Amino acid sequence: MQRIVSNSPSLQTREEFLNVSNLGAIDVLAVRMWLDRKVSIPKPSNACFGFDDTTGWTFFDLNSLHDEYKEEEGTVLEADFYHANQFLPLSDAQIINKVKGYLAKCIPEFEGAQVKDYVVVRFAKAVTHFSPGCYDYLMRGTTSFPNVFMSGDWIVNRHGSWSQEKAYVTGLEAANRVVEYFGEGELARIIPVEADEPHVQELRRLNSLVRDLQQQLPFHNFFL
């Protein structure tokens, strides 16, 4: 989006588009691996931390998640690394060895499996780096151009979804605005997210209370 704005004289006349230059992004590394045997992975999606100080990652059992891999003789999985700045310069072989070592620490059975094939994809500055104050620079689904509608992770909406799910939902919302704009077509149905668990709702309430109290303090703008 920042590159589009930097090359568009029309968008450069609108503050809402210029403001995206204040938003940050992080590097992402995606690795898909085909193994020579089935490894029992208890859960299809697994968030991991503690391996690197600045990088978090998730690995997915694609045999469970993708129909095309359900009948595979071996395991097919994907590992996505976020804030993977230090990994992008590595060779594919170095990355595969590192990922396989990480997987073996999570599930020891990975140690004996061999990698038959793999795909390594590097995405520089590909995922939003949310930070205090960035909300003010996020865009809305409608713009000052009557026929331009926005979707993606940098779009503000009230659905409650996040990341890839948010990009998908805002895409549906943008499509619905196009339908309304032209007055033809069928609106997409958007399923609301499930309500927060009770302890999360209570933490949200306490956070809101603390913020209200901070607003009453002198120099409250110095607090995050």
Side-chain angles (χ1 to χ4, degrees):
M1 188 66 218
Q2 291 172 337
R3 292 193 188 99
I4 292 173
V5 173
S6 66
N7 288 285
S8 172
S10 296
L11 297 182
Q12 291 164 15
T13 64
R14 311 296 171 102
E15 184 177 1
E16 62 195 307
F17 287 95
L18 291 174
N19 279 342
V20 300
S21 297
N22 294 308
L23 298 173
I26 58 174
D27 297 341
V28 175
L29 175 72
V31 180
R32 184 165 296 191
M33 302 168 61
W34 286 259
L35 305 180
D36 65 344
R37 67 189 68 179
K38 276 285 176 63
V39 175
S40 177
I41 304 175
K43 297 183 181 299
S45 178
N46 305 270
C48 308
F49 61 92
F51 292 80
D52 300 278
D53 291 338
T54 60
T55 304
W57 62 292
T58 305
F59 71 92
F60 305 92
D61 178 7
L62 299 189
N63 298 90
S64 297
L65 296 174
H66 289 192
D67 289 341
E68 61 184 298
Y69 298 129
K70 286 188 183 299
E71 305 302 324
E72 286 277 339
E73 294 182 0
T75 296
V76 184
L77 61 89
E78 178 163 333
D80 295 339
F81 293 79
Y82 305 94
H83 201 279
N85 312 44
Q86 74 275 22
F87 292 161
L88 266 56
L90 299 178
S91 68
D92 287 0
Q94 289 174 305
I95 289 171
I96 292 301
N97 287 334
K98 182 179 289 288
V99 173
K100 192 168 180 292
Y102 284 6
L103 289 168
K105 290 182 180 179
C106 298
I107 301 177
E109 193 178 345
F110 277 114
E111 187 71 45
Q114 300 299 314
V115 179
K116 298 197 312 181
D117 199 5
Y118 63 83
V119 176
V120 176
V121 186
R122 300 163 178 82
F123 300 98
K125 308 300 180 187
V127 170
T128 305
H129 181 199
F130 292 103
S131 58
C134 72
Y135 182 87
D136 293 338
Y137 306 112
L138 296 174
M139 297 195 67
R140 273 54 183 172
T142 56
T143 71
S144 56
F145 295 100
N147 62 338
V148 176
F149 309 103
M150 305 297 297
S151 68
D153 205 21
W154 280 0
I155 308 306
V156 173
N157 72 350
R158 303 188 64 83
H159 182 263
S161 51
W162 203 248
S163 190
Q164 297 175 358
E165 291 79 9
K166 181 182 181 183
Y168 176 73
V169 169
T170 55
L172 294 179
E173 291 174 342
N176 285 345
R177 292 186 177 106
V178 172
V179 170
E180 292 171 347
Y181 181 80
F182 285 105
E184 60 180 76
E186 295 184 8
L187 295 175
R189 177 172 174 261
I190 298 175
I191 302 172
V193 297
E194 296 179 358
D196 289 330
E197 296 168 298
H199 66 280
V200 176
Q201 294 182 28
E202 182 62 18
L203 288 173
R204 287 186 184 277
R205 188 189 68 80
L206 291 174
N207 182 62
S208 178
L209 179 61
V210 170
R211 287 184 175 274
D212 290 342
L213 291 174
Q214 287 178 349
Q215 293 296 319
Q216 302 175 30
L217 296 174
F219 308 110
H220 64 83
N221 287 333
F222 288 96
F223 294 96
L224 290 179

